[in-house]
C-alpha cells in the first residue's frame, strides 16, 4: 500500500487534470469542472504542500468546465487551461485576477477553425483527445484520437509524418518516453496501454493489460526509463515497468470515481499527483517508486 496520501477535497468540483510545476517543488495545478463537466463552470486550482497537507495557493474560475492544464516551460507563474467552450485560457499565478489572455479558435470542444494560430493540423477523422510535444525532437508532436490512431506531426511541414492504427478503440491519451525518442505509449477505451516504436509501427513493442475500464491518461516517468503510470475510469491508478515479465508494479485504489488526472513530479523521483471525479486531489509516494526494483 502506498504511503498516506495528502488529500484536498474541493466540494462541487470534479477533477480532470493534475500537473506538477516544473519549477516549484510540490506545487500542483488541477483543472476541474462542475457537474462532472456536463454543465456549469470550471476552476483552476494551484496547490502547495506543507507539513499539514495540501493548501490552495490560488483559485481561478472560468465560465465553462476546465478539462486540462499545462505549465509554461519559460515562466514559473504561467499556465494554460482548455475549456468546454472551445477556448484556451492563459493564467498568471502572480496575479489573482482572471486570465491574461483567452484564445478562441476552436468553435466547440474539438472542432478546429483557422484563426490566429501559427499552424492548423488536419487529418484526424474524429475527436482529438490528447497531444504531446516530443521531448527530443523540436517542432514534433503526437496526437491521440477517437479515430483509433496515434499520429506524429511536424511543425516544419504542417503535415502528418506517421499514422499508427494503434487500437481498435478510441485512444484517450498518449505520452512520449523521456529516454527514447522513438518510443510512445497510448491508452485507450479497450482498457489497454500499448507501446510504439516509431521505427516500426506494425506491432506494439509492449501491451499492458489490467485496467477494467477505459484508460484515461498515461504518463512515462521522468526518472525511470521503463516505468509508466496510467489512470482509468475503473477508479484506479496503476504503475508499470514494461521491461519486466510481470509489468504491473502496483495498483492504487484511493478514489471512488473516474480518475482523470495523473502526473509524476519532476523534482521527486517518488511523488505522484492525481485527481478524480470524487472531488479530491491526492499527492502520494507509491511504494513501487520508493523501492524501485
Amino acid at each position: 500500500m502506498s504511503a498516506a496520501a495528502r488529500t484536498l477535497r474541493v466540494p462541487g468540483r470534479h477533477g480532470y487534470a493534475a500537473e506538477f510545476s516544473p519549477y516549484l517543488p510540490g506545487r500542483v495545478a488541477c483543472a476541474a469542472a462542475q457537474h462532472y463537466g456536463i454543465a456549469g463552470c470550471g476552476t483552476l486550482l494551484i496547490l502547495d504542500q506543507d507539513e499539514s497537507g495540501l493548501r490552495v495557493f490560488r483559485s481561478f474560475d472560468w465560465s465553462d468546465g476546465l478539462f486540462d492544464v499545462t505549465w509554461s516551460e519559460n515562466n514559473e507563474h504561467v499556465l494554460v487551461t482548455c475549456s468546454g467552450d472551445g477556448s484556451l485560457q492563459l493564467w498568471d499565478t502572480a496575479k489573482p485576477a482572471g486570465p491574461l489572455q483567452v484564445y478562441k479558435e476552436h468553435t466547440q470542444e474539438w472542432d478546429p477553425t483557422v484563426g490566429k494560430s501559427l499552424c492548423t493540423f488536419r487529418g484526424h477523422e474524429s475527436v482529438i483527445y490528447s497531444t504531446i510535444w516530443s521531448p527530443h525532437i523540436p517542432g514534433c508532436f503526437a496526437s491521440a484520437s477517437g479515430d483509433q490512431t496515434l499520429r506524429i506531426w511536424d511543425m516544419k511541414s504542417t503535415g502528418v509524418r506517421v499514422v499508427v492504427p494503434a487500437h481498435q478503440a478510441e485512444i484517450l491519451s498518449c505520452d512520449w518516453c523521456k529516454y527514447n525518442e522513438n518510443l510512445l505509449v497510448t491508452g485507450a477505451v479497450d482498457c489497454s496501454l500499448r507501446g510504439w516504436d516509431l521505427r516500426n509501427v506494425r506491432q506494439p513493442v509492449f501491451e499492458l493489460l489490467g485496467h477494467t475500464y477505459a484508460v484515461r491518461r498515461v504518463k512515462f516517468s521522468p526518472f525511470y526509463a521503463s516505468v509508466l503510470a496510467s489512470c482509468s475510469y475503473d477508479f484506479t491508478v496503476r504503475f508499470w515497468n514494461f521491461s519486466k515479465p510481470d509489468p504491473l508494479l502496483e495498483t492504487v485504489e484511493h478514489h471512488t470515481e473516474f480518475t482523470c488526472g495523473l502526473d509524476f513530479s519532476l523534482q521527486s523521483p517518488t511523488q505522484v499527483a492525481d485527481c478524480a471525479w470524487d472531488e479530491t486531489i491526492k499527492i502520494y509516494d507509491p511504494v513501487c517508486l520508493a523501492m524501485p526494483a
Side-chain angles (χ1 to χ4, degrees), residues 39-256:
C41 68
T43 302
L44 170 63
L45 297 152
I46 312 299
L47 310 178
D48 284 333
Q49 301 179 60
D50 57 28
E51 293 72 28
S52 60
L54 298 181
R55 61 180 180 84
V56 177
F57 169 73
R58 281 272 188 272
S59 176
F60 300 102
D61 287 329
W62 185 246
S63 56
D64 208 321
L66 296 179
F67 297 129
D68 214 343
V69 60
T70 191
W71 291 88
S72 164
E73 293 191 0
N74 56 21
N75 185 322
E76 68 185 54
H77 301 294
V78 172
L79 310 93
V80 177
T81 52
C82 67
S83 171
D85 61 13
S87 66
L88 303 175
Q89 301 79 32
L90 193 69
W91 308 90
D92 186 340
T93 61
K95 297 183 171 65
L100 294 176
Q101 183 69 262
V102 178
Y103 301 100
K104 182 84 172 89
E105 295 193 20
H106 297 280
T107 57
Q108 50 182 302
E109 277 185 61
W110 314 105
D111 180 15
T113 60
V114 180
K116 297 239 173 59
S117 51
L118 295 174
C119 299
T120 299
F121 296 83
R122 301 182 186 279
H124 278 297
E125 296 165 15
S126 184
V127 173
I128 299 163
Y129 288 109
S130 174
T131 56
I132 182 78
W133 287 108
S134 167
H136 310 280
I137 307 161
C140 181
F141 67 96
S143 59
S145 170
D147 67 10
Q148 308 181 358
T149 68
L150 170 72
R151 296 181 189 229
I152 312 300
W153 309 81
D154 187 350
M155 288 284 288
K156 291 189 286 290
S157 66
T158 69
V160 66
R161 287 177 52 185
V162 183
V163 179
V164 185
H167 296 259
Q168 290 183 304
E170 290 195 286
I171 306 169
L172 302 185
S173 185
C174 62
D175 196 24
W176 219 295
C177 180
K178 315 298 188 287
Y179 294 87
N180 182 341
E181 67 178 28
N182 294 301
L183 183 62
L184 291 98
V185 65
T186 51
V189 172
D190 63 9
C191 310
S192 75
L193 290 76
R194 290 179 179 174
W196 301 97
D197 186 324
L198 295 180
R199 294 165 297 188
N200 180 1
V201 297
R202 284 177 298 183
Q203 295 288 331
V205 289
F206 62 80
E207 183 176 48
L208 304 174
L209 302 174
H211 282 297
T212 55
Y213 284 92
V215 177
R216 182 63 172 78
R217 204 175 291 262
V218 290
K219 289 279 180 81
F220 274 105
S221 166
F223 289 96
Y224 308 111
S226 57
V227 170
L228 49 86
S230 56
C231 64
S232 166
Y233 292 156
D234 66 11
F235 308 174
T236 72
V237 178
R238 295 176 193 241
F239 295 88
W240 315 82
N241 185 331
F242 63 81
S243 68
K244 291 183 173 295
D246 187 7
L248 181 62
L249 301 176
E250 187 172 346
T251 301
V252 175
E253 301 179 82
H254 59 194
H255 286 291
T256 57

